[in-house]
């Protein structure tokens, strides 16, 4: 596969979608709760203008696949007509339950808006994947998300982590200015600069001193929590988190889910980090019935569902770059994943999960490779033909007791 074909590209957006093996891919990050009309409208646009596949990413962003150069402008027009609120400035990530979670230490939305507005002028000079996360505590942790700048609420302020390294604490009043100043450092370093490389060059101590941060304050330990399942809210209602198998759903299933959520009395929907959707504002008595309907539509309603431990791209026949069919294989192997994660990648690009997995299956020009503790770009531990692929992977997983 050529270097050009291997390139995964920058972050796709509505104005600048990313070429993939099944056409163009557009990504959007709503900044306000989505009404059911919003979601149904997106589903219909995906059906009319793309290949009918919608995704929620590991970072909780929405993606529409299978677009063409002709249909992409129509998608942008359609989203504008639906009046879905998208970031005007720098996109800041926080919990999908922001302002609704009774266990959270803070409501991060005001801080997120201040950072977004303050960093607006920096956006053209920042790396496309530059990221800021605000973890306010509560039910949904963002600890699993990599970030150039991560703030974690303590109840009295925020701890600051830069590219995974603790960098001190900051009080509420100074938090927005600090993050904007740090983003300014990255912008001055060049349009591809990321915090890990910046720290390697500048040094953590020097950067902390420049911004009046005192090193030594560790970020509070936060376990990664699964959004799937019911979550009690601070107004007495509930949110039901449903997972998308391998991060994908068909437009028809998503529209049916929104109709069921509306009928169950939910108020709105939120895409959530962890390839999930939250259906917000349910009475306790309505949760079980909606979960049953979601399950019947193919969504994941139990956090321990084995499909939650598996990543799989679109694969054949949906993606022209794929060398193998992925979803049926992922479904068959999911019950055998006893620890770690399984990644089934149609080709070496690894679009569904660029990070390392306990076992990665990668489609090759001839057969497939099995990579242990690696990514699709790593050298396979062994290669097998497609006919024996499921058996070989199952044998490894069944023996993998740790």
């Amino acid at each position: 596969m050529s270097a050009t074909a291997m390139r995964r590209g920058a972050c796709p957006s509505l104005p600048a979608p990313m070429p993939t093996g099944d056409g163009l891919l557009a990504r959007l990050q709503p900044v306000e709760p989505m009404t059911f009309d919003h979601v149904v409208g997106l589903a219909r646009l995906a059906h009319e203008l793309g290949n009918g596949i919608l995704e929620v990413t590991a970072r909780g962003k929405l993606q529409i696949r299978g677009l063409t150069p002709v249909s992409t402008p129509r998608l942008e027009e359609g989203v504008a007509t639906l009046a879905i609120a998208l970031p005007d400035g720098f996109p800041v990530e926080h919990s999908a339950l922001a302002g609704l979670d009774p266990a959270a230490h803070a409501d991060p939305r005001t801080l997120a808006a201040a950072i977004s507005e303050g960093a607006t002028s920096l956006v053209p000079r920042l790396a496309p994947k530059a990221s800021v996360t605000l973890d306010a505590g509560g039910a949904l942790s963002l600890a699993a998300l990599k970030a150039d700048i991560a703030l974690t609420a303590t109840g009295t302020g925020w701890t600051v982590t830069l590219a995974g390294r603790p960098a001190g604490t900051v009080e509420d009043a100074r938090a927005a200015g600090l993050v904007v100043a740090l983003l300014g450092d990255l912008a001055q370093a060049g349009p591809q600069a990321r915090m890990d490389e910046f720290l390697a060059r500048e040094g953590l101590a020097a950067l902390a001193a420049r911004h009046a941060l005192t090193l030594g304050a560790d970020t509070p330990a936060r376990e990664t929590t699964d959004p799937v399942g019911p979550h009690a809210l601070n107004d007495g209602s509930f949110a039901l988190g449903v997972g998308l198998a391998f991060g994908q759903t068909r437009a028809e299933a998503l529209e049916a889910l929104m109709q069921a959520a509306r009928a169950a009395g939910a108020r709105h929907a939120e895409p959530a980090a962890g390839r999930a959707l939250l259906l917000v504002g349910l009475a306790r008595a309505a949760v079980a019935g909606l979960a049953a309907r979601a399950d019947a539509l193919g969504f994941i309603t139990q956090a321990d569902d084995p499909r939650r431990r598996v990543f799989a791209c679109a694969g054949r026949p949906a993606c022209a770059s794929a060398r193998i069919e992925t979803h049926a294989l992922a479904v068959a192997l999911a019950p055998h994943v006893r620890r770690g994660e399984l990644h089934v990648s149609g080709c070496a690009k690894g679009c569904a999960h660029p990070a390392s997995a306990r076992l990665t299956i990668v489609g090759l020009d001839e057969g497939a490779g099995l990579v242990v503790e690696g990514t699709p770009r790593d050298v396979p531990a062994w290669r097998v033909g497609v006919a024996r692929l499921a058996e070989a992977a199952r044998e490894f997983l069944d023996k993998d007791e740790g």
Side-chain angles (χ1 to χ4, degrees):
M1 187 174 289
S2 68
T4 300
M6 285 284 291
R7 192 175 299 121
R8 298 181 68 247
C11 289
S13 63
L14 284 177
M18 181 177 72
T20 68
D22 57 347
L24 297 174
L25 179 149
R27 181 180 297 164
L28 56 155
Q29 178 184 338
V31 295
E32 293 180 2
M34 298 182 70
T35 67
F36 300 126
D37 288 340
H38 285 155
V39 182
V40 169
L42 273 183
R44 292 176 178 174
L45 288 171
H47 178 76
E48 295 168 6
L49 306 177
N51 59 11
I53 295 176
L54 296 97
E55 298 176 323
V56 178
T57 71
R59 303 187 78 93
K61 299 178 182 180
L62 291 168
Q63 295 184 162
I64 294 178
R65 305 189 67 97
L67 299 164
T68 69
V70 173
S71 67
T72 297
R74 294 172 56 199
L75 174 63
E76 191 172 5
E77 294 169 1
V79 171
T81 300
L82 289 171
I84 297 172
L86 302 176
D88 290 326
F90 181 86
V92 178
E93 299 170 87
H94 56 66
S95 167
L97 292 180
L100 296 172
D101 191 334
H105 296 303
D107 183 344
R109 292 175 295 179
T110 299
L111 176 57
I115 294 170
S116 179
E117 181 179 356
T120 298
S121 64
L122 301 174
V123 171
R125 296 186 288 134
L126 288 167
K129 293 182 180 292
S131 56
V132 173
T133 63
L134 304 179
D135 189 336
L140 303 184
S141 169
L142 302 186
L145 300 185
K146 291 184 177 180
D148 292 277
I149 305 166
L151 269 60
T152 303
T154 64
T156 58
W158 302 82
T159 61
V160 182
T161 304
L162 303 179
R165 300 175 64 182
T169 60
V170 63
E171 61 274 19
D172 286 328
R174 201 166 71 87
L178 169 68
V179 174
V180 173
L182 289 166
L183 289 172
D185 288 339
L186 289 181
Q188 286 186 339
Q192 299 301 320
R194 301 298 299 275
M195 186 59 73
D196 53 352
E197 300 163 350
F198 188 75
L199 289 178
R201 184 171 67 249
E202 299 288 324
L204 178 61
L207 188 62
R210 184 190 311 166
H211 294 287
L213 290 168
T214 302
L215 297 178
D218 291 334
T219 301
R222 288 273 280 138
E223 292 185 1
T224 302
T225 50
D226 201 304
V228 171
H231 304 279
L233 306 180
N234 56 18
D235 63 358
S237 68
F238 285 78
L240 174 64
V242 299
L244 281 65
F246 320 125
Q248 294 189 345
T249 185
R250 299 291 307 183
E252 298 84 357
L254 184 59
E255 183 171 352
L257 178 66
M258 293 304 104
Q259 292 170 349
R262 193 198 304 268
R267 295 191 300 266
H268 63 263
E270 286 272 15
R275 303 176 292 164
L277 280 170
L278 295 176
L279 308 172
V280 180
L282 292 160
R284 181 192 294 269
V287 171
L290 182 56
R293 177 60 178 149
D295 183 71
L297 289 169
F299 293 91
I300 297 172
T301 59
Q302 300 293 326
D304 60 357
D305 188 299
R307 290 172 292 173
R308 295 294 285 165
R309 301 191 293 274
V310 181
F311 297 89
C313 65
R316 281 188 172 179
C319 178
S321 295
R323 300 296 186 264
I324 59 173
E325 189 281 336
T326 57
H327 281 196
L329 181 61
V331 170
L333 293 177
H336 300 270
V337 183
R338 293 180 173 82
R339 69 183 183 100
E341 295 170 329
L342 169 67
H343 179 193
V344 185
S345 184
C347 73
K349 287 188 291 184
C351 298
H353 185 61
S356 177
R358 176 59 185 151
L359 178 66
T360 295
I361 300 170
V362 54
L364 305 173
D365 288 338
E366 295 184 2
L370 278 71
V371 180
V372 179
E373 298 290 359
T375 76
R377 300 180 184 229
D378 292 327
V379 177
W382 64 96
R383 299 168 185 251
V384 297
V386 173
R388 192 178 171 274
L389 177 55
E391 178 186 359
R394 190 164 53 246
E395 288 176 356
F396 173 85
L397 294 169
D398 287 344
K399 292 177 181 178
D400 187 33
E401 300 291 345

